[in-house]
Amino acid sequence: MTTAAPVRWGQLSPRAKRKALAGWAFVVPALLIYAFFFIQPFFYSIYYSLTDWNGADPVKQFVGLGNYIKLAGDSLLWQALGHNLIWVIIGTVSPIAIGLLLGVLIWTGALGRVLFRTIYFLPVVLSEVVIAIIWNWIYHPLFGAVNQILRGIGLDHLARGWLGDPQTALLALLMTAIWSYYGFCFVIIMAGLQNVDISLVEAATIDGANGWQRFIHVIVPQLSHVLTMITAFTLIGGFNVFGIVFVMTQGGPGTATQVIATYTYRKAFQESQVGYGAALSMVMTLLSLVTSYIFIRLRERQEQ
Amino acid sequence: MSTSLRHTRRDFLRFSGGLSASILAVACVTPGADTGTDDTAGEPAVEKEQILVWDQFGEDSVGVNEIVVKFNEAHPEYHVTREAQTNMRDILKTSLDAGAGPDVMYYDTGPGFAGVLARAGLLLPLDDAYEQYAWNEHILPIARERASFDGVTYGIGNELEIVGTFYNERIFDEQGLAAPDTHDDFLAVCEALKAQDIIPMAWGNQNKWPAGHTFSVFSGNIAGKDNLAAAISGELAWNEPDFVESIQIPFVDMVDAGYYNTDINAVTYDDSNLLFYSGQAAMRLTGSWMIDGYTNPDNITDPVGFFFYPSIREKVIAPPAGLGSGYFIGRDAQSPEGAFAYLNFLFSDETIGDWLEGMAMIPPVRLNADDYSISDLLRFTIIEIQQNAESMGFNIDVLTPDNYNTMMFDGFQEVIGKVKTAQEQADDLEAAMQEAIERGTVMDITP
């Protein structure tokens, strides 16, 4: 394989130069917007994380790594991190597993394919706040559907304030998140399934592979790129989760559902510790990046 | 004949340029909805000084909108535009710092809120305005004290409020009960109601902050006004036995006794009001800001009475009283004089009726309740505040630093949920106060 040698600007013909400039003209605006709204705030956040700033004072007192040292001994951060890890594990595995299962079932020729696809995808088009409000009603201790159903089938003892009980609040939130996200996984997996080589599935059938074996050894490997992408997205989303938690429990009861993003919000905006909040957001960013990088590298190595 | 559908890049640019020019031309000639100018026919247009006001009353607050209309009519040289903000705590600091904030803002008066803005130099000192407009003569001293930081006044506190027990008079009559005089009597009332399958007290603490009011009631009645003031000022430890007991009684003992609805941490403040409105619960421990709701026949048809939470072990009661929020003026206000005039108008004789009759809110001025057409409950509240101002306690969360408040709210949910003991919560409150002292965010309210 050969690669083309770089061409100098002066060597280009006028037509090629115009073409190159036109390309830049399309790229630069998006790049500027990205730099202004993402890169600049990112570097500002790094700077703020090195200060003790309340968000209002004109003077931002430089404290070096003070905020990061304080983070190490912050028990609430570790608790929030634990909740994020639970969220990442359950919140990643569950929607992908559900999406994969439903995707394969419908791909194999279920009737009403378009109808099912629409129904499963519906939660994805709802905003996070709307979803949170709907599920707040579903979990409502006085008139919520979950408790009504439990009472209706004689399981009164199981009815409870799902979001107010430290034992159930995080799982209840996770259920909401899974419901809101599995449709996205389903649609992406459905798209991936269109590229699955049917002849390989048929060959496996002729060779005597049962349905489970065809699924695990023939279909899933062909979906590996799709699954890698969804998993990476979900992992990052798991570390950044905010909306559902904030609207439904504000991190409560107590700190039972506090995650890093809500804890960051609390510190930066409710307690006016913007410097410390910025340090927390850096931790969140770092965790998302490192986890996603490790996962993608592992997948690549596995494929090789 | 066929027409080519292909377009060149030049066509695209030509179309885009033409469209942009058209939009610009239309924008230049279309009249604005409200230019804020007085363009009475035949007279030269007078440029009005614009005053942008941010508050937290809600977009459709008829009473506040009425005040704004009245001000704009009475002051042709100014034009107030009111914007209701639901997330003021998130955006105000940044907006003011960027010079894009409001001229006048209605914001929390605590050291963690307006105090932060004042110390950052983002608010305009109002000491001269107090003199100029003689506010000291009719605005209550507490409204000035609560909006002063480091010896400088920055605002006017508003919404005088008290916290106590509202009760359903019909239920009390039917059960042969009377407003209790002591804590033991109160517990007996709760037992009697519980025996009849009536929820003694509706309490929803999903929003977290209602617990702060409960704690304010019990710590005022158990520790006393002076000790509570000392603790708020960082001069008395929050893990003293009186404060531990102020947590133990309402958050542990009364929960265990079943004197509230179940699932306290999962029920919202609004839903607990619904339990009270529907007659499922007989009492509500909350603030006078609910008077409007409790006297509205659309919500509740039963008559509602009020008593202060009674004495515990024969101690003198100190029911929480204070101010909700306050009006402040931004350092970079476009028209400081206009902003002063607006604040002056807000608490003038012309508007007191709007606050009282229109919104059931008590403005921080000297007034005679009999001069206004208001509910008996609101009249009773005004008279109580006027007669007992000296012995009233404090709404703790309005005066304490923000880190203390977040710890307090989270911690009380944990105490209710049996994750934490009363003693542990008291220790955590003290630790939060020490952190606030270190950060210099504690307000001294001791005499």
Side-chain angles (χ1 to χ4, degrees):
Chain A
M1 189 177 125
T2 58
T3 51
V7 182
R8 288 175 186 278
W9 180 254
Q11 295 172 318
L12 292 174
S13 67
R15 183 185 166 83
K17 279 181 182 172
R18 274 203 304 277
K19 201 172 174 184
L21 283 174
W24 276 101
F26 279 99
V27 170
V28 166
L31 191 67
L32 287 177
I33 291 169
Y34 181 76
F36 188 76
F37 287 107
F38 181 78
I39 296 176
Q40 183 211 208
F42 178 73
F43 283 106
Y44 264 116
S45 293
I46 294 175
Y47 166 61
Y48 291 149
S49 75
L50 303 174
T51 67
D52 179 13
W53 186 44
N54 64 11
D57 268 336
V59 179
K60 300 171 184 69
Q61 195 189 345
F62 187 77
V63 293
L65 295 175
N67 285 328
Y68 291 95
I69 293 166
K70 196 174 151 192
L71 281 177
D74 185 344
S75 58
L76 268 180
L77 167 68
W78 293 107
Q79 188 191 17
L81 189 59
H83 295 153
N84 271 103
L85 284 175
I86 293 170
W87 196 285
V88 162
I89 295 166
I90 300 177
T92 301
V93 172
S94 307
I96 293 176
I98 295 169
L100 187 61
L101 186 71
L102 291 173
V104 172
L105 280 175
I106 289 176
W107 178 69
T108 50
L111 281 174
R113 192 168 155 163
V114 176
L115 178 71
F116 282 119
R117 202 165 54 192
T118 309
I119 290 171
Y120 294 145
F121 192 68
L122 268 181
V124 182
V125 303
L126 297 176
S127 88
E128 227 175 18
V129 173
V130 173
I131 288 168
I133 291 170
I134 291 170
W135 279 82
N136 250 329
W137 291 334
I138 292 172
Y139 288 132
H140 198 283
L142 304 178
F143 52 78
V146 174
N147 282 350
Q148 296 287 3
I149 291 168
L150 287 171
R151 289 185 185 115
I153 58 174
L155 295 173
D156 300 52
H157 62 286
L158 291 180
R160 65 193 61 222
W162 297 92
L163 297 174
D165 185 339
Q167 307 297 323
T168 57
L170 188 63
L171 283 174
L173 291 182
L174 265 164
M175 282 293 294
T176 306
I178 291 165
W179 179 83
S180 71
Y181 193 66
Y182 82 89
F184 173 77
C185 301
F186 165 77
V187 167
I188 300 292
I189 287 166
M190 278 294 282
L193 284 167
Q194 306 312 311
N195 296 324
V196 168
D197 190 342
I198 298 289
S199 62
L200 291 178
V201 180
E202 288 168 350
T205 309
I206 292 165
D207 288 344
N210 60 28
W212 175 248
Q213 287 167 329
R214 290 198 297 274
F215 174 67
I216 289 296
H217 300 295
V218 181
I219 297 172
V220 171
Q222 292 188 73
L223 288 173
S224 62
H225 290 292
V226 169
L227 293 175
T228 302
M229 184 200 74
I230 298 176
T231 308
F233 270 151
T234 319
L235 279 176
I236 293 168
F239 281 112
N240 296 343
V241 58
F242 177 82
I244 284 176
V245 178
F246 187 73
V247 176
M248 291 180 75
T249 63
Q250 298 170 60
T255 53
T257 58
Q258 196 79 270
V259 289
I260 299 178
T262 52
Y263 187 47
T264 300
Y265 172 84
R266 168 179 151 169
K267 281 291 175 190
F269 294 101
Q270 293 182 320
E271 297 187 14
S272 299
Q273 296 184 37
V274 174
Y276 193 69
L280 281 164
S281 70
M282 284 299 117
V283 170
M284 196 161 66
T285 307
L286 197 68
L287 281 171
S288 300
L289 284 176
V290 169
T291 313
S292 304
Y293 177 78
I294 291 172
F295 172 76
I296 292 168
R297 289 292 296 167
L298 282 174
R299 285 290 310 157
E300 283 173 356
R301 192 173 296 173
Q302 204 176 15
E303 281 173 20
Q304 283 164 8
Chain B
M1 188 178 121
S2 68
T3 307
S4 170
L5 291 174
R6 287 195 63 199
H7 295 284
T8 64
R9 190 180 300 129
R10 191 171 294 170
D11 291 336
F12 173 72
L13 291 172
R14 195 180 294 138
F15 173 74
S16 308
L19 186 66
S20 305
S22 307
I23 291 169
L24 195 64
V26 171
C28 288
V29 298
T30 304
D34 184 358
T35 58
T37 56
D38 191 346
D39 51 357
T40 311
E43 292 174 19
V46 177
E47 190 68 31
K48 294 185 176 192
E49 290 187 31
Q50 300 292 319
I51 303 164
L52 176 63
V53 178
W54 282 6
D55 65 36
Q56 306 175 60
F57 289 113
E59 199 73 50
D60 302 324
S61 173
V62 177
V64 182
N65 286 337
E66 181 67 25
I67 291 174
V68 170
V69 169
K70 279 187 186 174
F71 176 82
N72 285 337
E73 285 172 359
H75 298 79
E77 69 275 34
Y78 302 121
H79 182 83
V80 164
T81 305
R82 175 181 169 256
E83 289 179 3
Q85 300 287 347
T86 53
N87 55 346
M88 195 102 105
R89 291 182 185 182
D90 296 348
I91 60 173
L92 187 61
K93 275 182 287 191
T94 319
S95 306
L96 288 173
D97 206 19
D103 302 296
V104 175
M105 67 218 79
Y106 190 60
Y107 195 49
D108 308 69
T109 53
F113 304 102
V116 169
L117 302 180
R119 289 182 180 122
L122 295 172
L123 300 179
L124 205 62
L126 297 186
D127 292 297
D128 292 342
Y130 267 82
E131 297 298 322
Q132 186 185 341
Y133 290 95
W135 287 338
N136 283 330
E137 287 173 18
H138 73 287
I139 288 178
L140 299 175
I142 190 174
R144 183 171 185 174
E145 287 163 18
R146 292 289 175 265
S148 298
F149 306 97
D150 304 325
V152 180
T153 303
Y154 292 93
I156 303 175
N158 188 26
E159 282 185 77
L160 279 169
E161 53 198 26
I162 52 174
V163 177
T165 317
F166 294 89
Y167 67 100
N168 185 315
E169 288 181 346
R170 177 189 58 80
I171 295 176
F172 267 53
D173 287 346
E174 283 174 5
Q175 302 300 323
L177 301 168
D181 294 325
T182 67
H183 174 61
D184 291 335
D185 288 347
F186 184 88
L187 298 184
V189 166
C190 289
E191 277 299 331
L193 290 164
K194 199 178 133 191
Q196 297 300 315
D197 282 337
I198 298 168
I199 299 167
M201 298 182 79
W203 188 14
N205 195 44
Q206 197 215 40
N207 314 68
K208 299 187 179 188
W209 56 263
H213 294 130
T214 305
F215 184 50
S216 298
V217 168
F218 281 82
S219 54
N221 283 11
I222 294 173
K225 180 183 181 179
D226 292 342
N227 284 338
L228 185 54
I232 290 169
S233 306
E235 294 171 8
L236 182 69
W238 284 98
N239 48 6
E240 288 285 323
D242 277 353
F243 293 116
V244 177
E245 192 182 9
S246 305
I247 300 168
Q248 180 70 29
I249 292 175
F251 296 99
V252 181
D253 297 344
M254 290 170 67
V255 172
D256 292 345
Y259 294 158
Y260 308 108
N261 47 279
T262 56
D263 304 314
I264 296 164
N265 283 336
V267 175
T268 64
Y269 181 79
D270 290 342
D271 287 336
S272 58
N273 281 325
L274 290 178
L275 287 173
F276 183 65
Y277 293 150
S278 65
Q280 292 179 70
M283 294 185 281
R284 280 283 286 136
L285 188 68
T286 188
S288 52
W289 55 86
M290 281 309 303
I291 287 176
D292 203 21
Y294 294 162
T295 52
N296 184 346
D298 290 340
N299 294 333
I300 180 167
T301 50
D302 294 333
V304 173
F306 178 89
F307 59 85
F308 288 118
Y309 195 88
S311 169
I312 300 171
R313 293 200 312 275
E314 296 181 1
K315 291 189 173 191
V316 176
I317 66 167
L323 297 150
S325 296
Y327 278 99
F328 300 89
I329 299 175
R331 176 196 60 191
D332 299 325
Q334 297 289 308
S335 169
E337 283 304 323
F340 295 150
Y342 183 62
L343 260 58
N344 188 55
F345 186 78
L346 280 171
F347 303 115
S348 63
D349 292 342
E350 292 169 76
T351 57
I352 293 173
D354 292 310
W355 291 108
L356 285 170
E357 296 167 358
M359 294 179 271
M361 286 180 192
I362 308 169
V365 295
R366 294 179 175 87
L367 58 90
N368 183 353
D370 292 330
D371 293 344
Y372 300 94
S373 172
I374 53 178
S375 66
D376 291 342
L377 201 53
L378 184 59
R379 196 182 317 281
F380 168 81
T381 306
I382 293 169
I383 292 168
E384 282 295 325
I385 291 174
Q386 288 172 339
Q387 290 180 346
N388 302 305
E390 291 304 311
S391 60
M392 291 283 187
F394 308 99
N395 263 346
I396 294 171
D397 63 314
V398 176
L399 301 165
T400 40
D402 33 21
N403 75 304
Y404 176 95
N405 287 344
T406 50
M407 191 272 118
M408 172 168 71
F409 296 150
D410 282 347
F412 283 136
Q413 279 196 330
E414 290 177 326
V415 176
I416 293 166
K418 310 288 179 211
V419 177
K420 196 190 242 188
T421 65
Q423 181 66 54
E424 287 168 341
Q425 169 70 350
D427 291 341
D428 286 347
L429 287 174
E430 177 57 14
M433 181 53 73
Q434 289 305 320
E435 187 191 329
I437 290 170
E438 216 169 277
R439 296 182 68 82
T441 54
V442 176
M443 186 185 237
D444 187 356
I445 61 163
T446 50

